Amino acid sequence: MLVVMKKGATEENIQAAVNSIEKRGYEARPIPGGDRVSIGILHNKGSVDAAHFMGLEGVKEVIAVTKPYKLVSREIKPEKTVIKVGNAVFGDGTLPVISGPCAVESQEQVIEIARAVKAAGAQVFRGGAFKPRTSPYSFQGHGVKGLEFLAKAREETGLPFATEVMDIENFPAVEEHADIVQIGTRNMQNFSLLKRAGKSFRPIILKRGMSATLQEWLMAAEYIMEEGNPNVILCERGVRTFVRHSRNTLDLSVIPAAKKETHLPLIVDPSHAAGVRDQVIPLALASAAIGADGVMIEVHHKPEEAMSDGAQSLYPDQFADLMKKMTAIHALAGQGS
Ligand code: PEP
Ligand code: MN
């Protein structure tokens, strides 16, 4: 249920509506909008009688929310959420690009790649310090030391950075250093981690689980928002299918479908979908055309020596060329809402 206030409703009107909702044992969540405030009614078991709130001063209408997710839905907040991080703006119709290596390997490596992607026009750097690897024998990341390398690269280049958090234990260190905290595909339904992310003061990139439906993905985002963090960026990164010609299948169709359902920014990571660099380039161009609110692309200055995901990492000059083409395509076809 959503209580929509009139344009001219006063603070007192809003507070009175909140009190009325809470008096009945529900949680009231005011959601500021473009020109009016709405109040979401959460934690109701069963239906809520709209008549309780219809007569209150300043209330325009009371509408039923038909979706299982509430805070993430367009029903509750029709206008797009806009999230600013440094010079990147997610959700305003521009195409911010997050780029960098899969894993943080050394101080020199991150500084070198950060400089290259910045020169090509990326607004946010990326690199994993805590790596979720399929094999326990693969490089697991430098941990907190890696976060420090990333912070130093930010100092050198001015680029904010996104990095993955794998568990609650390391959440404080990751959110202290990072500008954006990423939850990876393998943790999309790690509900205790989602709840912790909901208490974070940082924006969260929530990658789609590799076998998650749109509804499951949005419900995962709902966990974060429900705990109080409104800054969630959804990231499509490919889902697992029967095909063998790519690592995963980039589900671009989820972008227009999700846009109808949610006001949250939606970005695309073609690198983890493709798994090989030759496919990353056309898929990135398609992402720029489809109205995504951003793109994430892995780049490495020496991909053949990379400790993780070398095969899908673009060379810096390939990335620079791709950036020019993505900008042109986005200007022509990509600006969604
Ligand atoms: C990553 O971005 O480095 C990563 C591990 O991605 P995903 O969770 O999509 O596999
Ligand atoms: Mn990777």
Side-chain angles (χ1 to χ4, degrees):
M1 191 75 78
L2 186 68
V3 178
V4 182
M5 304 301 292
K6 291 179 182 158
K7 271 187 192 169
T10 62
E11 279 303 317
E12 290 75 44
N13 295 156
I14 296 167
Q15 195 51 52
V18 166
N19 293 345
S20 168
I21 293 166
E22 288 177 347
K23 204 176 74 191
R24 289 181 168 77
Y26 310 128
E27 190 185 321
R29 184 72 67 89
I31 303 157
D35 49 19
R36 58 165 56 96
V37 171
S38 298
I39 307 167
I41 301 180
L42 307 181
H43 297 291
N44 54 304
K45 297 181 185 67
S47 63
V48 179
D49 187 357
H52 294 311
F53 315 111
M54 278 308 291
L56 295 175
E57 208 170 326
V59 170
K60 177 171 177 275
E61 57 183 337
V62 181
I63 50 180
V65 176
T66 57
K67 309 286 178 173
Y69 34 85
K70 301 183 182 198
L71 299 171
V72 306
S73 97
R74 286 260 193 192
E75 281 183 323
I76 280 212
K77 182 172 178 274
E79 66 279 358
K80 194 91 183 166
T81 287
V82 174
I83 300 173
K84 295 193 176 100
V85 181
N87 292 331
V89 187
F90 299 89
D92 71 341
T94 59
L95 189 74
V97 176
I98 303 170
S99 184
C102 182
V104 174
E105 297 167 11
S106 69
Q107 184 64 82
E108 299 68 39
Q109 176 238 18
V110 281
I111 290 179
E112 170 138 12
I113 301 173
R115 284 199 177 122
V117 300
K118 184 182 180 182
Q123 292 90 348
V124 180
F125 188 55
R126 62 144 288 149
F130 295 93
K131 294 302 305 173
R133 304 303 300 277
T134 301
S135 165
Y137 307 116
S138 301
F139 175 57
Q140 304 286 307
H142 285 306
V144 173
K145 191 87 212 142
L147 298 174
E148 288 163 9
F149 291 155
L150 287 163
K152 179 83 181 147
R154 174 175 55 205
E155 230 176 272
E156 294 285 318
T157 61
L159 281 189
F161 71 85
T163 196
E164 179 163 353
V165 67
M166 279 172 49
D167 45 47
I168 293 181
E169 189 189 338
N170 290 298
F171 212 113
V174 173
E175 75 180 340
E176 181 199 325
H177 289 87
D179 300 278
I180 307 178
V181 174
Q182 176 172 313
I183 293 184
T185 191
R186 293 159 187 82
N187 268 321
M188 189 205 80
Q189 281 188 319
N190 179 338
F191 297 113
S192 37
L193 190 63
L194 297 175
K195 287 184 180 186
R196 176 60 184 81
K199 295 194 173 72
S200 181
F201 55 97
R202 297 290 184 197
I204 308 293
I205 289 177
L206 179 64
K207 288 208 164 183
R208 180 180 177 188
M210 61 183 87
S211 306
T213 63
L214 172 55
Q215 182 160 320
E216 288 163 341
W217 190 19
L218 295 179
M219 291 307 283
E222 185 81 13
Y223 265 89
I224 301 174
M225 288 196 72
E226 201 273 329
E227 290 289 335
N229 188 347
N231 296 317
V232 182
I233 299 166
L234 297 166
C235 179
E236 158 63 27
R237 50 76 72 198
V239 289
R240 187 150 300 180
T241 67
F242 55 88
V243 308
R244 298 279 170 89
H245 60 265
S246 61
R247 182 175 176 182
N248 290 289
T249 297
L250 186 64
D251 179 15
L252 281 179
S253 71
V254 85
I255 300 298
K259 275 194 168 194
K260 275 194 176 163
E261 299 296 315
T262 183
H263 52 83
L264 295 174
L266 286 145
I267 67 170
V268 180
D269 166 2
S271 301
H272 289 88
V276 284
R277 75 177 67 84
D278 291 357
Q279 290 181 15
V280 172
I281 293 171
L283 291 175
L285 296 176
S287 309
I290 204 164
D293 298 304
V295 181
M296 177 185 283
I297 295 173
E298 285 187 345
V299 171
H300 200 290
H301 63 313
K302 289 181 189 160
E304 51 295 322
E305 289 172 25
M307 295 172 90
S308 174
D309 285 347
Q312 70 196 28
S313 299
L314 300 190
Y315 289 92
D317 56 345
Q318 280 182 311
F319 177 66
D321 182 54
L322 175 64
M323 284 294 285
K324 288 192 196 116
K325 291 181 177 144
M326 282 198 301
T327 305
I329 288 177
H330 179 257
L332 190 68
Q335 291 141 346
S337 62

